[in-house]
Amino acid sequence: SSQDGILYNKNKTELIQCPCAKSSVTIPDSVTSIDYDVFYNCASLENITVDTNNVNYSSQDGILYNKNKTELIQCPCAKSSVTIPDSVTSIGDWAFSNCTSLESIEIPDNVTSIGRSAFSGCANLESVIIGGGVTSIGDWAFLYCTSLKSVTFENQTGWRMGKGRKIDVSDAATNANNLKDTYCDFPWYRHDEE
């Protein structure tokens, strides 16, 4: 079935596809499942609102979260400024993918994980600050971030990539190149030094 041009399954429990031209979406309380690519290439999307009676999802400042706001699920592609709430501990897979208006982001200390392809395709993203609480960055997290010049790690000790190779994260420009190109296809992990 469909509502306001948005495709759902028959019972409106699964959001299947959002038309690319939409600038605003309201998710009804019946939705219990949203696939990761529902909003893919929705370049005009500025605002996602979730019905307050929805038991699985919520929204704040136009961004989609799980109900408790511990996971940032989807940032609309047309957002140019984002403040991540203190409740968020996880940035989901593809959460900021193709947010081409985003130029900088600060990931707060409460976030521990950045998902796979989380910022992929953010072509105008220039600078990232990764808070000291982050212990994992998924593979391809910054792929196709062609403008990325600076990635600052607030906790620089114990970073490894792939199957355990230590990596120096003290230089912001080198980090940007490593995350968007050189080592983009590896997940990164931080372990406390022994």
Side-chain angles (χ1 to χ4, degrees):
S1 65
S2 68
Q3 179 179 333
D4 297 325
I6 299 169
L7 183 62
Y8 299 90
N9 67 345
K10 187 175 182 180
N11 300 326
K12 289 189 184 161
T13 57
E14 181 182 0
L15 198 160
I16 298 170
Q17 187 62 53
C18 176
C20 289
K22 282 274 191 193
S23 63
S24 182
V25 172
T26 299
I27 298 171
D29 62 353
S30 60
V31 171
T32 59
S33 174
I34 301 172
D35 202 15
Y36 76 91
D37 62 352
V38 165
F39 302 106
Y40 183 74
N41 276 342
C42 291
S44 301
L45 190 61
E46 296 175 5
N47 190 56
I48 300 170
T49 303
V50 178
D51 186 296
T52 56
N53 293 320
N54 189 300
V55 297
N56 291 307
Y57 300 102
S58 62
S59 58
Q60 181 176 319
D61 298 327
I63 297 172
L64 178 64
Y65 299 90
N66 65 348
K67 186 63 177 181
N68 298 327
K69 292 188 180 85
T70 57
E71 180 182 8
L72 192 156
I73 297 171
Q74 184 68 56
C75 178
C77 288
K79 281 266 187 209
S80 60
S81 176
V82 174
T83 301
I84 299 172
D86 289 342
S87 59
V88 173
T89 59
S90 171
I91 295 174
D93 296 348
W94 295 280
F96 289 88
S97 184
N98 295 317
C99 288
T100 56
S101 297
L102 197 62
E103 294 180 1
S104 66
I105 185 104
E106 183 169 347
I107 299 166
D109 290 344
N110 44 289
V111 173
T112 59
S113 67
I114 299 171
R116 178 182 220 196
S117 299
F119 293 91
S120 64
C122 293
N124 293 307
L125 185 62
E126 294 181 5
S127 69
V128 177
I129 296 173
I130 297 178
V134 174
T135 58
S136 69
I137 301 171
D139 49 343
W140 299 300
F142 295 93
L143 184 67
Y144 304 123
C145 292
T146 52
S147 299
L148 193 59
K149 294 176 180 62
S150 172
V151 178
T152 302
F153 286 82
E154 292 194 344
N155 188 335
Q156 297 180 359
T157 60
W159 280 99
R160 297 177 182 270
M161 65 174 175
K163 296 189 184 273
R165 179 178 172 205
K166 285 185 179 182
I167 190 158
D168 179 359
V169 296
S170 61
D171 183 73
T174 301
N175 295 338
N177 284 329
N178 285 342
L179 282 165
K180 71 179 179 180
D181 292 322
T182 312
Y183 302 121
C184 69
D185 54 341
F186 293 100
W188 290 33
Y189 302 99
R190 183 174 59 80
H191 303 280
D192 291 329
E193 295 291 346
E194 299 169 2

